[in-house]
Amino acid sequence: MSQIDARLAELGIELPAAPAPAANYVPFVQSGAQLFVSGQISANADGLILGKLGAGMTTEEGAAAARRCGLSLIAQAKAALGDLDRVKRVVKLVGFVNSTAEFTEQPKVINGCSDLMVEVFGEAGRHARSAVSAASLPLGVAVEIEAIFEIA
């Protein structure tokens, strides 16, 4: 068992299956020592996590949705690499939050994913990040996040 797999087990985290692309793109691309993972949308075992922050969805619910995006990002990295111990660093996350014009807590929402990366990868999980609002997201989901990983 890899160190990261052991860490996931210790945290009681079970990764979902790596989601298939919903359109004409690939889920990940490796270029040199970097792995680019396409945007992962908020979903759980029950289906898509839909909603708009600032219009019936709380910041805490949004952060939970962002955490689910993070689980899918890690699942995609595992599908691409086979072994999560090959992740040397989470380089950058770009998070999109389906929110009203008045909602201003996008960073707190995307913290759901950022916190997960640090829980799982430790110091190597600390990353650069963007957290922006979107008037809508694909399929009406609450959050979408993409990632760049440095790999061995």
Side-chain angles (χ1 to χ4, degrees), residues 47-142:
L48 298 177
I49 301 172
L50 307 174
K52 185 175 280 288
L53 281 290
M57 188 173 214
T58 68
T59 300
E60 293 74 22
E61 291 170 325
R67 182 178 177 90
R68 293 301 305 188
C69 293
L71 292 171
S72 292
L73 289 166
I74 295 169
Q76 291 291 6
K78 186 168 186 164
L81 304 171
D83 181 358
L84 288 170
D85 284 353
R86 289 187 58 203
V87 173
K88 289 176 64 175
R89 177 168 197 98
V90 180
V91 175
K92 184 165 185 181
L93 298 178
V94 179
F96 302 91
V97 180
N98 184 355
S99 58
T100 64
E102 298 77 28
F103 185 79
T104 60
E105 295 189 339
Q106 291 81 3
K108 290 181 181 178
V109 170
I110 302 304
N111 277 347
C113 183
S114 293
D115 293 347
L116 174 69
M117 294 300 166
V118 174
E119 284 177 53
V120 172
F121 296 105
E123 281 301 307
R126 297 200 182 281
H127 52 272
R129 185 182 88 177
S130 298
V132 298
S133 180
S136 66
L137 288 174
L139 308 172
V141 297

